[in-house]
Amino acid sequence: MFFALLTFLLVLGEVCVHAVPVPLPESHGKDGILCVNRVLVIHGLPSGHDAAGNALWPADTATAAFFQLPLEWLGYELEYHGIAKGVPSGAVLDGCAGIILDSELELNPSMETRFADWLLEASRRGVKVVVMGAIPFKQTEARGRFMRGFNLKGVERNNVISEIEEIGKIDPAVANYEAVVAKRGAVFDQVEAPEGAAIHVSLKARDRQGKVFHSDPVFTTGWGGAILEPCLCFERPDHLSLLYVNPFEFFFRALAWENRPVPDPATAAGLRIFFSHVDADGFSNLSQVTPGRLSSEIIRDEVFRKYPIPISSSVIVAEVAGLLKGQKPGDDRRLMDVARGIYALPNIEPSSHTYSHPFYWQEADRTASFYDEQGLELKTRNGRAGIDVEKEVAGSVAFIEEKLLPPGGRVRLIQWSGNCRPGAAALKVARRLGIEDINGGDTVASRQRPGIAQVSPRIMVWGDQFQVMAGIQNEMLYTHGFAGPVYGGYQNVIQTFELTGKPRRLKPVNVYYHFFSGDRVESLRAVQHVYEWCLQQPLHAVTASSYAAMVRDARTTRVWRAEAGEWRMENRGRLASFRLKDEGLTPDMNRCQGVLGYNRQDGFLYVATDGSGKTRLVMSRDPGPHLALESSTAPISFDRLEAKEAAFEVKGWGPARVVLTGVPSAASATVVVNEKKGTAKFDSTGRLTLELPDRAKVLIRLKT
């Protein structure tokens, strides 16, 4: 247990920003120099499908499993190009910071030379190139062209088992991260790093013919770098993957990362985000907590009504409408009455868990074989009758809005069902309706299951669309599929919250479960225990749809470096928080535009903006005094924010805490809360903490 905890703490260790930076590709414009953040992943097989005929999607790549989340955290957004589409055009290199060759990439021999030339052209244009697993070229001419062009030395040793005899060098800042590089037999190429490269792992090995050779499987250099076998990942007997290389440190060097404002959808108003959503499974179950009552009624009364926090709650339309096989006449009346009562609660955000709960959404999905049926069996349809995405998304939303919501009520969210791999077609329906989406990903990192592979990316690409993944996984993965005997295992999600919060804030706090947690006392108590823990933390509560909108906005946010210490950011205003490494500078509130304040936490500076979508951030070593927001546990909007006066409003679901900063220590102020006047004094650090009701209009005026 201690080793697992130590391992995971290493996983989430600090970024050590001490490498010599290399200039990034830049785009000049009227707002300054655009910080490019696109990373293109080349993946797949020439056929576009595996041996079983299943499509090869980005979600199934090693890059998505191991490296997308660290890259997102560093401020990069990934795009994927399946090699079955051919060699990419030169146009895709515009605004591209880097290219990753996925470790499972295979090339058609006829395209190898063209692909090598394309990579060389990318490098000449300043785009970083990162090779994962192995050099993908098999043809002698193409491989030679690539090796010479990137100043690599070595010979092809694919499919040859070699024995590692000596570990020549280990850079502790980058290597021996979750797993230790050790002497063993492995299949790998002989590749020597370019002259002048930073070598993070070097090995001496002997092949089966007895020839001794030197290899540098992990290095970074001016054109990018590589993580080659045998240093990609170690798989434990329980199939849990651990990385040899720290991806945060590696990509910091390989992509020449610079300290700049990074869109951070895990943060709002200076605090880590909290949101909660409930999948509808188990809505009609009979609960053992109180005989004769439904699990949905138990969750409604023991959770929804008890906790003053926003919760996105869903239904499966076919279930509440009594359309499932085995349902009796009259079931629909009771279930719809319960649903209407839930949706009438002030802290509930209406959402859909689809029409008939598809278990898998696309026929060519490799996970389809995991299921006996494609969806729940309806009285008028068997479980493998195919999926109508229009009905599952638009049809379910229309039913909920027309039959279950109060007049004028709107569904804001679709919560994907089953394997949560919806594909482009279903996502396009959600976009057309103007609703957000969520679910998918397996973020279950804990002391028992350490490793960055246990923390999923925040989005997944499907064609020209992308889905928003759940922040943290649900109770199914903490209770062994809810098969018992540990029905209360969901309380271990608190470990996941803690390990993904510090020292890097990788994820929001997402309390995500199903109505069947109301089946048993122990599972209900676990959910309540998790909520009680959340209420004791400094968190900013939002709805699930708001979080999804932040993630969507983060992907299209643009950041310009205007001049030394000055940045400009632009987006739709849904994402309003940015993160920088704390280098001792502070936003100069007298010169910033669209900035509400800042909060220093765990070596990072979190900047809160006003949601206008256009921000000017000016950093200073010694800015003048100016009122600023440090944090708020509830949504907050400012009517006025001046050096000595501020007027704002909070609209939350329970008592709110607002902390202001930026003024001299022990300063006195007049405070008006909901027209009640009083006085307050800032503390010795220049902070003022206000305990407010869920709805409050506040005026602060410093005394001169």
Side-chain angles (χ1 to χ4, degrees), residues 17-99:
V17 288
H18 51 256
V20 177
V22 179
L24 286 165
E26 296 174 337
S27 177
H28 294 257
K30 62 180 178 64
D31 293 311
I33 300 172
L34 177 65
C35 300
V36 294
N37 68 338
R38 289 177 52 245
V39 171
L40 182 64
V41 181
I42 312 297
H43 73 101
L45 306 178
S47 64
H49 55 77
D50 62 18
N54 298 313
L56 297 172
W57 283 311
D60 303 318
T61 63
T63 301
F66 302 142
F67 304 121
Q68 183 172 327
L69 182 277
L71 284 162
E72 289 174 340
W73 187 86
L74 286 167
Y76 296 102
E77 296 293 342
L78 274 62
E79 298 176 1
Y80 288 81
H81 177 88
I83 199 62
K85 299 176 182 176
V87 178
S89 69
V92 304
L93 298 174
D94 294 337
C96 189
I99 296 167

Side-chain angles (χ1 to χ4, degrees), residues 251-367:
F251 284 112
F252 164 73
R253 292 160 171 77
L255 297 180
W257 185 85
E258 64 175 354
N259 191 19
R260 62 178 185 265
V262 171
D264 189 348
T267 302
L271 297 175
R272 190 180 184 187
I273 281 174
F274 162 91
F275 73 95
S276 182
H277 68 295
V278 184
D279 282 353
D281 309 56
F283 194 95
S284 61
N285 289 6
L286 285 174
S287 174
Q288 297 180 19
V289 176
T290 304
R293 302 191 73 202
L294 302 177
S295 292
S296 52
E297 294 175 310
I298 297 296
I299 294 295
R300 177 196 64 197
D301 296 342
E302 299 297 325
V303 177
F304 294 172
R305 286 174 171 163
K306 183 175 181 180
Y307 296 103
I309 48 182
I311 303 172
S312 301
S313 181
S314 64
V315 296
I316 301 166
V317 165
E319 180 180 31
V320 297
L323 302 178
L324 299 182
K325 282 188 177 180
Q327 286 188 297
K328 303 183 298 296
D331 283 353
D332 57 327
R333 289 192 296 275
R334 181 179 183 182
L335 294 173
M336 284 200 282
D337 282 345
V338 174
R340 291 185 188 107
I342 288 173
Y343 287 143
L345 296 175
N347 61 324
I348 297 300
E349 176 182 60
S351 59
S352 168
H353 198 40
T354 75
Y355 191 90
S356 66
H357 195 287
F359 298 138
Y360 63 92
W361 290 77
Q362 303 172 91
E363 291 291 346
D365 194 321
R366 66 176 181 81
T367 68

Side-chain angles (χ1 to χ4, degrees), residues 173-216:
V174 176
N176 285 354
Y177 181 48
E178 299 168 352
V180 175
V181 179
K183 298 178 181 180
R184 61 188 175 92
V187 177
F188 58 97
D189 293 350
Q190 177 194 0
V191 176
E192 294 183 32
E195 185 176 350
I199 297 173
H200 307 299
V201 178
S202 65
L203 308 170
K204 186 173 77 172
R206 184 184 301 272
D207 65 20
R208 287 296 176 89
Q209 286 71 46
K211 184 176 180 180
V212 176
F213 63 93
H214 170 86
S215 192
D216 303 318

Side-chain angles (χ1 to χ4, degrees), residues 333-570:
R333 289 192 296 275
R334 181 179 183 182
L335 294 173
M336 284 200 282
D337 282 345
V338 174
R340 291 185 188 107
I342 288 173
Y343 287 143
L345 296 175
N347 61 324
I348 297 300
E349 176 182 60
S351 59
S352 168
H353 198 40
T354 75
Y355 191 90
S356 66
H357 195 287
F359 298 138
Y360 63 92
W361 290 77
Q362 303 172 91
E363 291 291 346
D365 194 321
R366 66 176 181 81
T367 68
S369 61
F370 301 169
Y371 304 93
D372 295 328
E373 309 289 347
Q374 191 165 5
L376 295 177
E377 287 198 85
L378 308 186
K379 295 174 181 177
T380 57
R381 188 196 77 186
N382 64 44
R384 280 196 179 271
I387 296 299
D388 179 349
V389 296
E390 185 71 25
K391 188 172 187 177
E392 295 297 337
V393 182
S396 66
V397 168
F399 182 95
I400 295 168
E401 291 182 345
E402 294 170 8
K403 304 288 187 180
L404 304 179
L405 299 190
R410 286 285 313 281
V411 170
R412 306 275 179 193
L413 185 72
I414 179 83
Q415 298 173 202
W416 303 117
S417 62
N419 65 1
C420 298
R421 292 157 63 99
L427 287 162
K428 286 179 180 177
V429 178
R431 299 292 79 77
R432 190 190 77 227
L433 296 176
I435 63 174
E436 298 296 337
D437 71 281
I438 202 165
N439 279 355
D442 287 328
T443 297
V444 292
S446 65
R447 297 183 181 95
Q448 185 178 17
R449 297 180 62 82
I452 204 66
Q454 307 304 308
V455 185
S456 296
R458 60 185 182 226
I459 68 106
M460 187 50 60
V461 173
W462 298 97
D464 61 351
Q465 304 291 314
F466 67 89
Q467 74 179 104
V468 176
M469 309 287 246
I472 308 290
Q473 257 300 349
N474 61 56
E475 82 279 46
M476 284 286 285
L477 278 76
Y478 293 87
T479 59
H480 305 290
F482 216 71
V486 189
Y487 291 101
Y490 183 55
Q491 64 185 348
N492 289 324
V493 75
I494 293 172
Q495 292 180 22
T496 310
F497 297 158
E498 293 172 336
L499 293 171
T500 56
K502 291 184 178 181
R504 293 188 183 94
R505 185 177 296 164
L506 300 177
K507 290 286 184 178
V509 170
N510 176 197
V511 180
Y512 169 29
Y513 55 99
H514 300 80
F515 276 106
F516 54 62
S517 277
D519 286 3
R520 296 170 177 270
V521 171
E522 53 266 52
S523 55
L524 173 64
R525 294 291 179 262
V527 170
Q528 293 174 326
H529 177 73
V530 171
Y531 277 128
E532 294 288 350
W533 180 89
C534 292
L535 290 172
Q536 300 305 311
Q537 311 306 311
L539 302 171
H540 180 92
V542 301
T543 62
S545 70
S546 293
Y547 168 73
M550 293 176 197
V551 171
R552 191 169 303 284
D553 204 14
R555 187 166 172 83
T556 55
T557 295
R558 294 292 176 261
V559 177
W560 289 266
R561 185 173 65 248
E563 54 186 69
E566 183 173 339
W567 307 86
R568 296 181 188 275
M569 297 90 85
E570 187 171 322

Side-chain angles (χ1 to χ4, degrees), residues 112-113 116 137 139-147:
E112 287 197 9
T113 298
F137 299 95
Q139 303 301 304
T140 301
E141 179 184 353
R143 186 179 180 87
R145 189 183 298 247
F146 176 84
M147 299 287 279

